[in-house]
């Protein structure tokens, strides 16, 4: 039986980019957990060397099933693999690119639904504080890019790739 069955954590990497990533985890048994990630997208480009300011906003929702490979006997700790679903909605505002020496409006939006897997390490201290580090790859089987301003920017082409990366460093607490 799991002594502490719930956990909440905060994504430290997302904070460094001005976004917020909250995760809630339910430990099903000693070797399996269910995690739900909610991340906001809130980033900007400031126009120092370029002639515009742009912002990117949106949300990512990602449920994940985790299986631990732990030989130390600690519940829900150690190396793990996770499989996840991912929903992402994002839009740019004020984004421009140079086309033939002229700045053109190049805003776009993305709606994506994907699946993926990651590997990581999850540790818990006796005081309930947890640390989780993970990285993985996924595939967007639905990836709709809409050109808001009608111009196909290099950035929208990059986001149009069906492959996405998922990573994180989370600091949390078990209840």
């Amino acid at each position: 039986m799991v002594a502490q069955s719930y956990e909440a954590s905060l994504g430290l990497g997302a904070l460094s980019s001005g976004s917020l990533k909250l995760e809630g985890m339910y430990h099903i048994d000693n070797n399996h957990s269910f995690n739900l990630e909610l991340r906001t997208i809130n980033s900007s480009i400031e126009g120092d060397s370029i002639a515009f300011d742009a912002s990117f906003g949106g949300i990512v929702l990602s449920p994940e099933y985790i299986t631990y490979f732990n030989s130390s006997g600690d519940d829900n700790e150690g190396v793990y693999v996770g499989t996840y679903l991912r929903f992402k909605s994002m839009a740019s505002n004020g984004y421009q690119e140079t086309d033939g020496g002229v700045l053109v409006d190049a805003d776009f939006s993305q709606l994506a639904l994907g699946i993926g897997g990651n590997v990581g390490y999850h540790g818990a201290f006796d005081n309930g504080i947890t640390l989780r580090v993970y990285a993985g790859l996924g595939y967007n089987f639905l990836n709709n890019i809409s050109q808001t301003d009608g111009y196909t920017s290099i950035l929208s082409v990059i986001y149009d790739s069906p492959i996405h990366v998922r990573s994180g460093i989370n600091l949390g607490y078990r209840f």
Side-chain angles (χ1 to χ4, degrees), residues 2 38 70 108 131 137 164:
V2 178
L38 173 63
N70 183 8
F108 65 96
L131 178 66
L137 289 174
H164 65 264

Side-chain angles (χ1 to χ4, degrees), residues 63-81:
E64 175 183 20
Y65 183 77
I66 294 173
T67 301
Y68 295 90
F69 299 97
N70 183 8
S71 60
S72 69
D74 292 331
D75 299 342
N76 305 100
E77 288 187 58
V79 175
Y80 71 87
V81 296

